[in-house]
Amino acid sequence: MSPTTRPSEARDRLLSTASAIWYAEGIHAVGVDRLVAEAQVTRATFYRHFPSKEDLVVAYLRAADRGLREQVEQAIDGLEPAPALQTIAQGIAAGIESEGFRGCAFLNAAAEYPDQDNPVHQVVLEHRAWFLDTLTSLFTQISTKPDAAARHYAMLRDGAMAAGCLFDPALVNETFLRGVEGLLQAQVAAAE
């Protein structure tokens, strides 16, 4: 069976251990030996579930992607587009102010795996495409230029995610949320 079709307690432990450590310290900074030790599994168990470290990185990012998709879908369920976009922004802001925040896991991974053909980078691009598609779909209902508005929103988010671990998160969030509100107001005004 493939690593993705054979869940087990050891696999889950490896994935949750890797997710926590890699997010906090970086992917390349932490090797398989440490992951095996902290997850309390053998190397054979590691390689039975993940043929390589890169396979575990892909699983880590896919799990993060699933979590974010569920979070966004639950947050915007039943909302009109503008409040949905505001709710997404508030969720991002809450993440920035959470303990242990270290930026965007996907942007961090892209920085560590810059080759666009690499499977890790491909997962980052898939996540990015989903996020932009989600934003574009919402902006389509309130904007005459939904693609541009979605890209603008994503760039505001990216800036906030980068700045949130470098500067005062509350100030970063204030700036980010004000930027999203200004973008929404400009889109609605242009569509009238």
Side-chain angles (χ1 to χ4, degrees), residues 44-56:
T45 299
F46 176 94
Y47 288 113
R48 180 173 52 246
H49 293 289
F50 303 101
S52 70
K53 178 181 175 182
E54 192 171 271
D55 290 311
L56 179 54

Side-chain angles (χ1 to χ4, degrees), residues 15 41 61 86 106 135 158 167:
L15 184 55
V41 298
L61 292 173
Q86 291 166 324
F106 297 93
L135 296 175
D158 292 347
F167 306 106

Side-chain angles (χ1 to χ4, degrees), residues 13-24 35 56 59-61 63-64:
R13 234 181 10 259
L14 276 164
L15 184 55
S16 67
T17 299
S19 297
I21 294 173
W22 284 340
Y23 182 73
L35 295 175
L56 179 54
Y60 152 59
L61 292 173

Side-chain angles (χ1 to χ4, degrees), residues 1-13 49-50:
M1 292 182 121
S2 78
T4 57
T5 60
R6 189 171 177 224
S8 73
E9 186 180 317
R11 183 186 189 283
D12 292 345
R13 234 181 10 259
H49 293 289
F50 303 101

Side-chain angles (χ1 to χ4, degrees), residues 49-143:
H49 293 289
F50 303 101
S52 70
K53 178 181 175 182
E54 192 171 271
D55 290 311
L56 179 54
V57 176
V58 167
Y60 152 59
L61 292 173
R62 289 205 187 282
D65 175 69
R66 277 190 306 279
L68 288 170
R69 286 178 192 236
E70 290 171 9
Q71 181 182 10
V72 167
E73 288 168 11
Q74 288 174 0
I76 67 174
D77 186 38
L79 293 178
E80 293 296 319
L85 289 159
Q86 291 166 324
T87 301
I88 293 169
Q90 291 162 355
I92 292 165
I96 291 170
E97 290 202 41
S98 66
E99 187 170 334
F101 177 75
R102 255 200 89 247
C104 171
F106 297 93
L107 294 176
N108 293 346
E112 293 197 55
Y113 291 86
D115 178 3
Q116 291 195 4
D117 293 328
N118 184 285
V120 171
H121 199 95
Q122 288 296 308
V123 173
V124 172
L125 294 176
E126 290 167 16
H127 173 76
R128 186 68 163 196
W130 161 79
F131 187 62
L132 282 170
D133 287 347
T134 300
L135 296 175
T136 302
S137 176
L138 292 167
F139 274 112
T140 296
Q141 302 172 55
I142 60 172
S143 173

